[in-house]
Each structure stands twice: as structure tokens, then as C-alpha cells.
Amino acid sequence: MKKILLLVLGLVASSASFASINEPSQPIATVSLIDNDKVKLIVAPEKATATITLKDAVGHVLYSSNVNLEDGIQQKFDISHLSTGVYQLSVSVGKEHTVKSFTVAEVPSQQVVTLEGE
């Protein structure tokens, strides 16, 4: 009886851990500014494939790519060609999304980019 109980507990524990591995979680991502002309996206490692998308304020997709997150990613985006406005970088894994926004604004004789709150 004791052996059967241990076997059942072992199966329950292994099923629970297996289920948590397969459920997608919200991707952990950070965005930082590099020299007012590049934005760097860092996404934590996860056993999943993600879609990275850069959109403008009206939802036009400017960039989209599917990436493997097993080793995480660090990707730089050249934003020097973007006009003033609000942009969104999103990382999607299944139905889970992480969205980071940034604004490109003109200051007399120079362009300034600000990151929105985390």
C-alpha cells in the first residue's frame, strides 16, 4: 500500500511539473535606449518561440520576426529613420504578450527618444 501511494504521489508531482513547463507565461522583456538612434530589446530565456513586432501609433507593422527564446535574445533596432510618434515593441508567446512603448520626438536641431514607463 505504501509503494502504491508513493507511486501515485510521484505521478501527480511529475504531471504537475510537466504541465507548468508547457503553459506559456508572459515573456520577460526590457527595452533600453542606445545613443538616441537605437533601441535594444532583451528577452529572458524561455522554452518557447516568440513573435517580436514593432508597430507605429496606428498599428502598422514596421517589423515582425519569429525567434527561439531558448537562449534569450538581445536585439537592436535602428530607429534613426522613424518619424516622430509613439511606437510599440511587443513580444508574444502564445496568447501572452509583453508590450514596451517608446516615443520619438523632435527637439530643435536634434531628435530625442524617450522610453515609456516599465
Side-chain angles (χ1 to χ4, degrees), residues 4-60:
I4 294 174
L5 182 60
L6 288 175
L7 177 62
V8 170
L9 289 175
L11 289 173
V12 169
S14 65
S15 298
S17 64
F18 180 73
S20 67
I21 290 173
N22 289 332
E23 290 180 21
S25 61
Q26 187 172 18
I28 300 170
T30 60
V31 175
S32 58
L33 180 62
I34 304 172
D35 297 330
N36 263 357
D37 63 351
K38 289 184 178 62
V39 170
K40 183 177 183 179
L41 172 68
I42 300 172
V43 182
E46 186 175 330
K47 290 188 179 199
T49 300
T51 301
I52 297 173
T53 308
L54 174 63
K55 294 181 183 178
D56 64 13
V58 293
H60 294 123

Side-chain angles (χ1 to χ4, degrees), residues 61-106:
V61 175
L62 306 175
Y63 173 84
S64 183
S65 177
N66 291 323
V67 294
N68 185 336
L69 294 180
E70 191 162 329
D71 295 325
I73 60 162
Q74 291 188 27
Q75 186 167 351
K76 294 178 186 172
F77 294 88
D78 180 2
I79 58 170
S80 61
H81 66 283
L82 296 179
S83 57
T84 59
V86 178
Y87 296 88
Q88 291 185 334
L89 263 173
S90 67
V91 181
S92 303
V93 175
K95 294 181 180 181
E96 299 294 327
H97 308 283
T98 297
V99 179
K100 302 293 183 178
S101 298
F102 63 93
T103 302
V104 176
E106 284 280 333

